[in-house]
């Protein structure tokens, strides 16, 4: 991703159709998802699907992790580091009809970050270790929050509300979400070893958190940070409130999961927390109108 590209902005027109689709098509998808997934697994064995996903996320994971660690790695390079500039340019046609297909600028520091990320990629590809999986998962999440922007709080509420229904339906209404999360070996989730103290780094009993449960609330929290800055009060009240609300919602998810011994839709607890807590603060400060 070229750093000069503008982030993708999600508007209410983008969010609302998705919500309506969830409501209207829920029963149809519910009836068709199970036989369709079984049909796909009958034609293509799970081993081949996992191999294809591994190669796909191997490439994407290296690029995402390289982009994520680049700002941090700049602190470790000495001032006299020979940093040369490069440009990757692909064009189509010639003369006046010449069109740029790819125009990517990078430097030697980017190449070093790419090499370090490739080491993690090979580790993931060969071992599928949970640490390598989580490094890629975190990189995907951070890139998602960076590249996806909400244009206002109303849009964020529409999007979170729709995905709240979506998450509850797919976890409690069917077993598709849990089955996919457990079946496919891909960094589409963060995994937390529950037997870490017993087996150390070779732990193999995991709790899981989907990347959507990080990115979707994350772009809403990032929006509230921009709202804090727009108030020009030199405080980050709404950002810290929503951040603490996210931690509270995640903790409540884990608590309920251990009590009932059943997978929980994280957005069931995260959405009310991330919307409700900042809204209460806005009511207390009389800034609801400015927020919306």
């Amino acid at each position: 991703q070229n750093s000069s590209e503008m982030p993708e902005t999600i508007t209410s027109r983008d969010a609302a159709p998705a919500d309506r689709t969830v409501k209207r098509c829920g029963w149809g998808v519910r009836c068709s998802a199970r036989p369709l997934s079984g049909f796909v697994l009958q034609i293509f064995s799970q081993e081949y699907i996992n191999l294809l996903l591994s190669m796909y996320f191997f490439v994407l994971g290296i690029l995402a992790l390289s982009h994520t660690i680049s700002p941090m790695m700049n602190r470790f390079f000495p001032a006299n580091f020979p940093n040369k500039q490069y440009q990757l340019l692909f064009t189509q046609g010639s003369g006046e009809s010449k069109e740029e297909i790819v125009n990517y600028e990078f430097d030697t520091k980017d190449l070093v970050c790419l090499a370090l990320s490739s080491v993690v990629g090979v580790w993931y590809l060969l071992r599928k270790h949970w640490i390598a999986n989580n490094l890629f998962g975190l990189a995907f999440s951070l890139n998602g929050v960076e590249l996806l922007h909400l244009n206002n709080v109303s849009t964020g509420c529409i999007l979170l509300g729709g995905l709240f229904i979506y998450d509850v339906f797919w976890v409690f209404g069917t077993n598709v979400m849990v089955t996919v999360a457990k079946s496919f070996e891909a960094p589409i989730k963060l995994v937390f070893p529950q037997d870490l103290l017993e087996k150390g780094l070779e732990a193999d009993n995991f709790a899981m958190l989907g990347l959507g449960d990080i990115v979707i609330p994350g772009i809403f929290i990032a929006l509230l940070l921009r709202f804090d800055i727009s108030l020009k009060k030199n405080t980050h009240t709404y950002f810290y409130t929503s951040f603490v609300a996210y931690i509270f919602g995640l903790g409540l998810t884990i608590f309920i999961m251990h009590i009932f011994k059943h997978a929980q839709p994280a957005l069931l607890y995260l959405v009310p927390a991330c919307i409700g807590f900042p809204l209460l603060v806005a009511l207390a400060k009389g800034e609801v109108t400015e927020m919306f």
Side-chain angles (χ1 to χ4, degrees), residues 184-199:
F184 295 118
E185 298 175 353
I188 57 174
K189 57 188 179 294
L190 297 186
V191 294
F192 304 93
Q194 298 175 311
D195 53 350
L196 181 64
L197 296 179
E198 300 172 13
K199 298 184 179 180

Side-chain angles (χ1 to χ4, degrees), residues 65-75 77 107 109-110 113:
L65 186 59
S66 176
H67 178 73
T68 301
I69 67 174
S70 181
M72 295 181 289
M73 289 300 297
N74 285 331
R75 305 174 184 176
F77 289 104
D107 54 29
K109 293 179 180 179
D110 293 326
C113 293

Side-chain angles (χ1 to χ4, degrees), residues 34-214:
R34 185 176 298 178
L36 179 61
S37 59
F39 177 71
V40 170
L41 289 174
Q42 286 179 2
I43 298 179
F44 306 102
S45 72
Q46 184 175 319
E47 179 183 355
Y48 290 120
I49 295 176
N50 278 329
L51 179 61
L52 178 63
L53 287 175
S54 296
M55 295 304 299
Y56 177 72
F57 283 105
F58 168 74
V59 176
L60 287 185
I62 289 175
L63 295 176
L65 186 59
S66 176
H67 178 73
T68 301
I69 67 174
S70 181
M72 295 181 289
M73 289 300 297
N74 285 331
R75 305 174 184 176
F76 297 97
F77 289 104
N80 58 349
F81 182 81
N83 192 32
K84 297 182 179 180
Q85 300 293 322
Y86 303 93
Q87 183 179 23
L88 184 63
L89 179 63
F90 285 101
T91 61
Q92 178 180 350
S94 59
E96 295 182 357
S97 62
K98 181 182 288 188
E99 181 182 359
E100 289 186 0
I101 305 300
V102 175
N103 186 359
Y104 186 74
E105 297 180 357
F106 57 97
D107 54 29
T108 308
K109 293 179 180 179
D110 293 326
L111 293 177
V112 173
C113 293
L114 189 65
L116 293 174
S117 301
S118 298
V119 173
V120 177
V122 172
W123 183 26
Y124 167 77
L125 200 60
L126 296 179
R127 295 288 306 278
K128 295 294 192 302
H129 198 278
W130 62 271
I131 294 180
N133 175 92
N134 286 356
L135 287 174
F136 276 173
L138 288 170
F140 288 139
S141 299
L142 290 169
N143 277 271
V145 173
E146 179 183 351
L147 296 174
L148 292 174
H149 284 186
L150 293 167
N151 66 339
N152 57 54
V153 171
S154 299
T155 301
C157 292
I158 294 171
L159 181 64
L160 286 172
L163 292 176
F164 171 90
I165 299 171
Y166 171 91
D167 207 25
V168 171
F169 167 76
W170 281 109
V171 174
F172 287 149
T174 75
N175 63 351
V176 172
M177 192 81 80
V178 177
T179 301
V180 169
K182 291 182 176 180
S183 299
F184 295 118
E185 298 175 353
I188 57 174
K189 57 188 179 294
L190 297 186
V191 294
F192 304 93
Q194 298 175 311
D195 53 350
L196 181 64
L197 296 179
E198 300 172 13
K199 298 184 179 180
L201 296 181
E202 299 304 318
D204 55 9
N205 180 26
F206 300 108
M208 297 174 290
L209 179 67
L211 299 190
D213 299 325
I214 302 172

Side-chain angles (χ1 to χ4, degrees), residues 3-18:
S3 59
S4 64
E5 292 186 15
M6 293 295 291
E8 184 74 20
T9 300
I10 301 174
T11 67
S12 56
R13 293 185 64 184
D14 300 322

Side-chain angles (χ1 to χ4, degrees), residues 216-226 238-239 242-243 246 274:
I216 301 303
I219 60 177
F220 186 76
I221 294 172
L223 173 65
L224 292 180
L225 175 59
R226 296 200 300 277
Y238 291 99
F239 169 72
S242 58
F243 198 89
Y246 181 87
C274 290

Side-chain angles (χ1 to χ4, degrees), residues 250-270:
L250 202 56
L252 184 59
T253 305
I254 296 170
F255 176 75
I256 298 296
M257 183 178 65
H258 282 289
I259 293 295
F260 292 98
K261 307 298 181 184
H262 187 277
Q264 297 294 315
L267 292 181
L268 173 62
Y269 310 98
L270 292 174

